[in-house]
Amino acid sequence: SDLFPVSPSQMVLTFLNEHARIAYCDDCLRKILHISRARMNERNITAIAADLGLNRRPGKCPVCGVARLVNQTARLAKKQRTK
């Protein structure tokens, strides 16, 4: 086991930075990162997104195909909007 467990917000930020071209919904992020709904619910995901400067917007998740709120790193989201 790790001496310093990684927080859900650190896990989300690391994952989204590594997969910056994709905007994931909350459910798929939880499944991919193996984070329980109790540790990462919609309310704290919104807070995590605000704290980390993530872009949280309505969209279609490319993993599950459902239209819902998706999360993406802000720097790439800005580039995509200007194209």
Side-chain angles (χ1 to χ4, degrees), residues 30-50:
R30 277 192 291 268
K31 287 176 189 169
I32 291 166
L33 298 173
H34 305 284
I35 300 173
S36 69
R37 187 176 289 274
R39 287 189 70 204
M40 196 171 90
N41 58 43
E42 184 174 351
R43 190 165 143 199
N44 60 18
I45 290 175
T46 299
I48 288 168

Side-chain angles (χ1 to χ4, degrees), residues 6-20 22 24-26 28-35 39-41 44-50 52-56 70-73:
V6 178
S7 71
S9 60
Q10 291 170 316
M11 292 172 71
V12 168
L13 182 61
T14 299
F15 180 80
L16 290 177
N17 278 331
E18 290 172 356
H19 302 87
I22 304 171
Y24 295 88
C25 73
D26 299 349
C28 287
L29 276 176
R30 277 192 291 268
K31 287 176 189 169
I32 291 166
L33 298 173
H34 305 284
I35 300 173
R39 287 189 70 204
M40 196 171 90
N41 58 43
N44 60 18
I45 290 175
T46 299
I48 288 168
L52 300 177
L54 299 177
N55 181 36
R56 186 163 165 78
V70 292
N71 305 278
Q72 186 174 34
T73 55

